[in-house]
Amino acid sequence: MFFGQNEHEMEFMPIVPLGEDEMDDQEKNSIPSELPIVVLRNTVLFPNVVLPITVSRDKSVKAIAEAQKGDKWIGVVAQKDSTNDDPGTGDIYHIGTLAKVVKQIKMPDGNITIFIMGRMRFKIDSFSQSDPYLAAKVSYLEDIYPKEDASFDALMSSIKDYSEKIAQMSPNIPSEASIVLRNIEQQSFLMHFIASNISSKLTDKQALLEENDVQKRAERLFQLLQTELQLVELKNEITNKTRADIDKQQREYFLQQQMKSIREELGGDPNDREIKDLIKRAEEKKWTEGAKELFKKNIEKLERMHPSTPDYSVIYNHLDLMLDLPWGTYTEDSYDLKNAQNVLDDDHYGMEKIKDRILEYLAVLKLKGDMKSPILCFVGPPGIGKTSLGRSIANAIHRKYVRLSLGGLHDESELRGHRKTYIGAMPGRIIQSIRKIKSANPVFILDEIDKIGKDFRGDPSSALLEILDPEQNSTFYDNYLELEFDLSKVLFIATANSLSEIQPALRDRLEIIQLSGYSAEEKTEIAKRHLIPKQKEMHGLMKVPMKFADKVIVKLIQDYTRESGVRELDRIIAAMMRNMAKQVAMEEVVEKQVTPEFIETVLGKPKYTNDIYTKGHPTGVVVGLAWTSVGGDILFIETSLSRGKGGVTLTGNLGNVMKESATTALSYLKAHAADYGITYEQLEEMNVHVHVPEGAVPKDGPSAGITMFTSLASAFTGRKVKPYFAMTGEITLRGQVLPVGGIKEKMLAAKRAGIKDVILPAQNEKDVEEINKAYIKGMRFHYVTDVSQVLGLALAK
């Protein structure tokens, strides 16, 4: 079966041979020297090859009609430009193929399909007419065959092999083509048949037709076949790869469809159920407009995504966080101020100032109904209950309690969160805590705010500026959440041991409440009310009758602890409880009344004694009072004189401020030496060495000014300092005594040490008056404005 094409659209088509006979001499003599010319588009006709064409151009139709009148010979040539609908004599190749019209069929559309068979090559010598059809005088070309040569036979064999490969690999060539190729014996016809069927360019095929030397024609054809074979192999490779990809996608699609069918049988797609569950949960939320819009957009993204894509879990987790956050969900505050006061009193002994501040806050909240929560900051030594006070406040006002430890935190993203595009991204610790507690107005403890780290990852204390500003935290932005969250109803309470470690901008946002250490009386009450019952319960001794007398507790406090808080006291009570628990477990007799002897049996001999502070000391030794981050402390300042040239030595790991105080005190003493009976020769011929014991402990601050001056004056005058005397105050070069801080801690430390008399700057009198009189009972306070007053009080005659 033959399939013809319109000559306007002639491209590659299957060519089937009808015969392979060469023209004999008789036939050659009968061919005309003038031929009607039919021009073909996009193809070349070779000798002995049959070609079906559909004729539609007028000139071609008339040329065919003229040939049908005679012996049916026509000249077939190819046109150079396939887009030219009316080619002239200069637009066609001048070498073509003589052809005979084998069959003519009239088509229903009026066109004519003819089967032509090429017979011999010719060359146009001249055109005899151009209308109504082209006609030309031609001369016929003979093929030049090579002599018998094995290399030519091998070349023809390779051409046949390559052709069979191409036929087998090309999906468009029927399998019968290989059979046809094997049965072609005549070499020139084999070349013409193959040349007609390859998809080479028209110019390459025309070059084959124009070549007279059969050897060169075969070589050129072999080159074209090599190119054709490479092209076919590349096409097959691309086709196979594409087919493999499509097959894989189809396989996955079918598997997904099967899984979907199975899920539907089992009760529906879990991913669809997840999305529906998210939407259902969202109906109960009191969204802000921004949150509502973002949730809707992310749900739409999730519905379009396949669950196996990485972004699916990222968006799902983000939506889950949004739904877990308590948008507009608040616990109801308790405005029963008397009950709140009882709760605070039950949980913590003392701390009257802080309790009053909390009750003031509740009173305003009760009257106004709403207010921006203040940012409280409890500053004081360790172990006095700053953190546990926050829990008591939460219980007093019926709010939820959450605590965040900031100690050692050095990455800003820990507070603000990471961008959710990062692998392993999480919301900040603030949002995580709010999510866990499920309340938008908890009591939020920011513990150890003075111990935040700072490095190349950022400054977390700067990130706290927004969180701890009542004017800004209503629109707190978390990087992971990508939304603003209202923290203005949260009652933030920060705790710190020292204000000096908090950066100024952050300190400015905090309402500082100073917590001082406990007196011995307060510690005794705390031990009786809280520590002993707690430790008895923890050690399973609730049913064992035992009592701690006040004097026993005081012995524990004075002989075994040196602290502002009660952590060490709690530990030594626990040590005693463990010993009692062992006695009970071993069925030994347990004393009902804890005695001092039992304490020494369990804890050993007393660790601390006050004798060193209270007994008399040689000249040049003075007891000073200091403030540390763990509360008040006692320190000695010692001065010794030796013969020399008036040099000064300062030891004891002193800071710059303390060294300057010593220099100032010595300068004042030299300037007023005559007033104190000190000669000029003494000052010039004596070397001065000022030492503060415990040299391994760093010491700094101005409050040892008058203590150093007294120590120097005592050494130079030979007058001892009275026993049971201690002092604190800053000195100026003019001899004035300036106020210092940490008065309560210093007074409690003096009380613990058994000090009876304390010299203080006059301006610190108000600080002493704030201390409970019971805690400083038996102590005398001397207020001074000038160093001369100090010497008059402290030095013995």
Side-chain angles (χ1 to χ4, degrees):
M1 178 175 281
F2 298 92
F3 295 95
Q5 282 182 263
N6 191 303
E7 59 184 322
H8 292 267
E9 301 169 357
M10 187 68 72
E11 292 178 355
F12 172 76
M13 64 172 66
I15 308 295
V16 180
L18 291 180
E20 48 182 281
D21 296 333
E22 295 286 345
M23 292 181 70
D24 54 22
D25 293 338
Q26 183 179 355
E27 191 176 9
K28 285 181 180 178
N29 292 331
S30 66
I31 57 176
S33 59
E34 186 176 350
L35 295 171
I37 301 298
V38 175
V39 180
L40 298 184
R41 193 197 308 250
N42 292 329
T43 194
V44 175
L45 176 66
F46 288 89
N48 299 324
V49 173
V50 175
L51 187 67
I53 61 171
T54 298
V55 182
S56 60
R57 283 193 283 211
D58 287 343
K59 286 187 177 182
S60 298
V61 171
K62 289 175 181 176
I64 296 295
E66 183 62 29
Q68 291 288 63
K69 292 177 184 177
D71 50 12
K72 300 185 179 180
W73 293 109
I74 58 172
V76 177
V77 295
Q79 67 183 67
K80 296 177 182 178
D81 184 5
S82 62
T83 61
N84 192 346
D85 288 333
D86 188 16
T89 56
D91 300 325
I92 61 176
Y93 291 103
H94 285 200
I95 291 179
T97 303
L98 171 69
K100 178 165 276 191
V101 179
V102 178
K103 182 77 173 176
Q104 178 174 322
I105 302 171
K106 287 187 177 181
M107 304 302 289
D109 58 0
N111 292 331
I112 299 171
T113 297
I114 60 171
F115 295 88
I116 55 176
M117 182 178 180
R119 298 303 288 158
M120 194 172 183
R121 298 180 305 117
F122 66 79
K123 177 183 179 185
I124 296 176
D125 295 326
S126 61
F127 289 95
S128 56
Q129 69 176 51
S130 58
D131 282 318
Y133 58 86
L134 279 175
K137 292 182 179 180
V138 299
S139 56
Y140 295 95
L141 304 174
E142 294 288 341
D143 291 337
I144 303 171
Y145 286 92
K147 296 177 181 179
E148 290 188 7
D149 186 2
S151 63
F152 180 71
D153 292 339
L155 180 60
M156 292 306 299
S157 177
S158 296
I159 287 173
K160 185 178 284 190
D161 290 343
Y162 268 66
S163 301
E164 288 186 12
K165 282 184 182 178
I166 292 170
Q168 290 169 1
M169 294 177 70
S170 299
N172 297 328
I173 297 177
S175 57
E176 291 81 2
S178 299
I179 301 171
V180 173
L181 284 168
R182 288 193 210 105
N183 290 300
I184 296 175
E185 299 294 337
Q186 214 272 336
Q187 291 176 334
S188 65
F189 175 66
L190 177 64
M191 284 191 290
H192 297 155
F193 176 66
I194 292 170
S196 298
N197 283 278
I198 60 176
S199 58
S200 298
K201 296 177 182 177
L202 179 73
T203 52
D204 293 330
K205 290 186 178 184
Q206 183 67 27
L208 288 175
L209 184 68
E210 293 178 358
E211 182 59 63
N212 294 327
D213 190 329
V214 175
Q215 173 89 22
K216 291 181 179 179
R217 192 186 301 165
E219 290 172 356
R220 185 170 287 182
L221 177 62
F222 185 63
Q223 291 176 355
L224 294 175
L225 284 174
Q226 286 179 317
T227 305
E228 181 80 4
L229 181 60
Q230 289 177 357
L231 184 64
V232 170
E233 286 176 343
L234 184 60
K235 281 183 178 179
N236 283 347
E237 184 180 341
I238 294 170
T239 303
N240 291 336
K241 186 176 179 182
T242 307
R243 185 182 295 117
D245 290 342
I246 292 172
D247 290 346
K248 183 181 177 184
Q249 289 175 4
Q250 287 178 337
R251 182 170 174 272
E252 289 179 353
Y253 174 75
F254 289 132
L255 287 173
Q256 291 289 349
Q257 290 300 110
Q258 288 176 344
M259 287 176 65
K260 188 175 180 181
S261 300
I262 292 168
R263 287 192 192 114
E264 287 174 354
E265 288 293 327
L266 294 173
D269 190 339
N271 297 314
D272 291 342
R273 292 202 302 271
E274 281 180 352
I275 294 172
K276 288 177 182 175
D277 181 53
L278 292 175
I279 295 171
K280 186 176 180 181
R281 286 167 61 192
E283 292 173 358
E284 305 168 2
K285 288 291 171 184
K286 302 169 186 175
W287 299 110
T288 61
E289 285 301 318
K292 191 183 296 182
E293 186 64 30
L294 183 62
F295 181 84
K296 182 181 176 184
K297 188 167 71 173
N298 282 348
I299 280 289
E300 290 172 356
K301 280 185 187 176
L302 211 60
E303 289 173 337
R304 293 194 299 268
M305 278 186 184
H306 193 276
S308 62
T309 57
D311 282 350
Y312 184 91
S313 60
V314 172
I315 294 176
Y316 181 85
N317 291 336
H318 185 257
L319 291 172
D320 193 43
L321 169 66
M322 289 180 66
L323 290 168
D324 280 349
L325 286 174
W327 301 90
T329 303
Y330 305 107
T331 54
E332 188 174 347
D333 291 335
S334 169
Y335 299 128
D336 187 347
L337 269 60
K338 290 183 179 178
N339 177 62
Q341 186 165 19
N342 291 334
V343 171
L344 293 171
D345 287 339
D346 289 344
D347 290 347
H348 289 81
Y349 182 78
M351 297 189 178
E352 304 304 330
K353 186 177 178 182
I354 297 147
K355 294 174 184 176
D356 287 343
R357 178 65 189 87
I358 298 301
L359 293 173
E360 287 168 7
Y361 166 71
L362 291 177
V364 174
L365 200 61
K366 180 177 183 179
L367 296 174
K368 188 172 182 290
D370 182 31
M371 67 176 289
K372 289 189 175 180
S373 295
I375 313 297
L376 304 178
C377 181
F378 298 155
V379 179
I384 61 171
K386 298 186 296 297
T387 305
S388 61
L389 187 62
R391 186 183 293 275
S392 297
I393 292 168
N395 292 336
I397 61 178
H398 293 181
R399 284 195 183 187
K400 292 187 177 181
Y401 168 84
V402 61
R403 174 181 166 273
L404 172 59
S405 179
L406 299 175
L409 195 74
H410 47 63
D411 190 350
E412 182 186 342
S413 298
E414 287 285 330
L415 293 174
R416 284 194 176 280
H418 308 79
R419 302 284 178 195
K420 70 173 185 287
T421 50
Y422 297 145
I423 294 172
M426 294 188 301
R429 301 275 286 276
I430 301 292
I431 292 295
Q432 285 184 45
S433 301
I434 296 290
R435 177 188 194 178
K436 180 176 69 176
I437 209 68
K438 297 192 181 302
S439 170
N441 65 335
V443 173
F444 203 122
I445 304 296
L446 296 169
D447 221 357
E448 310 291 357
I449 198 171
D450 56 331
K451 296 179 179 61
I452 291 181
K454 179 181 179 181
D455 62 10
F456 63 93
R457 282 164 286 197
D459 182 6
S461 62
S462 297
L464 282 173
L465 295 178
E466 180 186 4
I467 299 167
L468 297 181
D469 190 337
E471 298 299 325
Q472 295 181 39
N473 62 14
S474 59
T475 55
F476 171 67
Y477 185 86
D478 185 272
N479 292 328
Y480 182 89
L481 181 61
E482 294 181 343
L483 282 170
E484 293 177 346
F485 192 83
D486 185 4
L487 297 178
S488 62
K489 303 295 189 297
V490 178
L491 177 56
F492 284 104
I493 297 177
T495 71
N497 296 133
S498 172
L499 279 177
S500 61
E501 301 296 325
I502 305 173
Q503 64 154 298
L506 182 57
R507 190 164 64 229
D508 184 57
R509 286 163 166 77
L510 303 173
E511 184 176 335
I512 307 297
I513 298 179
Q514 292 283 352
L515 279 74
S516 54
Y518 296 120
S519 66
E521 290 81 2
E522 286 177 310
K523 289 182 182 179
T524 303
E525 287 298 321
I526 292 169
K528 283 162 52 178
R529 297 185 185 192
H530 302 288
L531 303 183
I532 293 173
K534 181 185 76 172
Q535 293 297 343
K536 284 181 70 175
E537 184 178 357
M538 289 177 66
H539 291 83
L541 300 172
M542 294 299 291
K543 295 180 181 178
V544 178
M546 69 173 76
K547 289 184 180 179
F548 283 76
D550 286 1
K551 65 177 182 178
V552 172
I553 298 173
V554 170
K555 179 177 177 61
L556 288 174
I557 295 167
Q558 292 183 345
D559 293 354
Y560 295 93
T561 67
R562 277 291 183 270
E563 59 175 347
S564 292
V566 291
R567 282 207 182 109
E568 185 66 26
L569 179 61
D570 194 31
R571 282 191 284 268
I572 63 173
I573 291 173
M576 296 185 64
M577 293 296 176
R578 285 195 298 273
N579 189 279
M580 293 177 185
K582 184 187 74 170
Q583 292 179 357
V584 172
M586 296 177 71
E587 298 182 354
E588 296 177 359
V589 178
V590 180
E591 293 185 18
K592 295 182 180 180
Q593 187 74 36
V594 178
T595 62
E597 292 74 22
F598 178 69
I599 292 175
E600 292 194 11
T601 303
V602 177
L603 302 176
K605 293 294 181 182
K607 293 181 182 179
Y608 306 101
T609 177
N610 291 334
D611 293 345
I612 190 172
Y613 304 119
T614 56
K615 68 182 181 181
H617 296 290
T619 58
V621 179
V622 186
V623 178
L625 299 173
W627 181 91
T628 69
S629 61
V630 295
D633 199 5
I634 300 292
L635 56 82
F636 287 107
I637 292 179
E638 306 170 344
T639 301
S640 71
L641 303 178
S642 59
R643 289 200 172 272
K645 296 182 180 180
V648 180
T649 304
L650 303 173
T651 57
N653 201 353
L654 307 182
N656 290 332
V657 177
M658 208 160 181
K659 288 178 181 178
E660 289 168 2
S661 293
T663 306
T664 304
L666 185 59
S667 297
Y668 182 83
L669 187 65
K670 285 181 178 180
H672 299 82
D675 297 341
Y676 305 115
I678 302 171
T679 65
Y680 178 77
E681 287 74 17
Q682 281 180 288
L683 296 172
E684 286 294 314
E685 296 172 4
M686 303 297 281
N687 288 337
V688 178
H689 186 166
V690 178
H691 176 66
V692 183
E694 296 188 25
V697 180
K699 309 168 193 73
D700 202 5
S703 61
I706 65 170
T707 316
M708 287 185 166
F709 176 77
T710 305
S711 177
L712 289 167
S714 172
F716 276 105
T717 61
R719 296 165 63 188
K720 294 182 180 181
V721 177
K722 296 175 183 177
Y724 305 101
F725 245 85
M727 61 189 70
T728 183
E730 183 178 357
I731 188 174
T732 71
L733 202 56
R734 293 172 293 160
Q736 289 182 314
V737 180
L738 301 182
V740 291
I743 294 299
K744 182 178 179 182
E745 283 78 7
K746 291 175 180 178
M747 296 309 102
L748 295 178
K751 176 68 174 175
R752 287 196 297 268
I755 300 294
K756 303 295 185 184
D757 293 89
V758 181
I759 299 176
L760 292 165
Q763 295 179 47
N764 285 125
E765 185 175 359
K766 63 182 185 303
D767 300 307
V768 176
E769 290 175 355
E770 291 180 1
I771 304 172
N772 191 322
K773 296 294 184 285
Y775 304 159
I776 51 178
K777 186 178 179 182
M779 294 176 68
R780 292 186 296 273
F781 300 98
H782 309 278
Y783 302 105
V784 297
T785 57
D786 191 89
V787 291
S788 59
Q789 296 173 273
V790 175
L791 297 184
L793 291 167
L795 297 182
K797 295 187 179 179

